[in-house]
Amino acid sequence: MKLMLTNAEWKLMKLLWQSAPRTVMELTAALAEETGWTKHTVITLLGRMEHKGAVRYEQVKRAKQYYPAVPREEAAAAEAESFLGRVFDGRLGLMVNTMVQQNGLTRSEIDELYAILKEAENK
């Protein structure tokens, strides 16, 4: 599934991955200080996300309870693939080289990359 989420939709998804189900009012309250969104904004975003297949809901009494419909890893992989394609023409090496040239990698991140590459080599 090619799931493309906006920055606003990511904010909602992060909350749902953290703790679900949540109602519109719970989501609005959780994001109020950071975003200032009204419940109408949250409802609009959730409707778009439902159409995309990112969230689902269950009607419980008078409130809809929202759940993530995709795992975080799946959404992150789609986002990473999209970013890599848009910014680096799909070339992972170019992205890593750019990060290295800009001193964007810590020792810990370099060690993590080595471990990932070793694991990939052994597959």
Side-chain angles (χ1 to χ4, degrees), residues 19-38:
S19 173
R22 291 195 188 203
T23 65
V24 168
M25 295 310 291
E26 290 170 337
L27 290 166
T28 302
L31 290 168
E33 189 175 321
E34 177 187 353
T35 65
W37 293 343
T38 66

Side-chain angles (χ1 to χ4, degrees), residues 5 9 12-13 45-55:
L5 299 172
E9 292 166 345
L12 287 168
M13 289 302 291
L45 288 168
L46 288 168
R48 290 180 191 162
M49 294 165 70
E50 183 185 0
H51 182 73
K52 290 180 179 183
V55 298

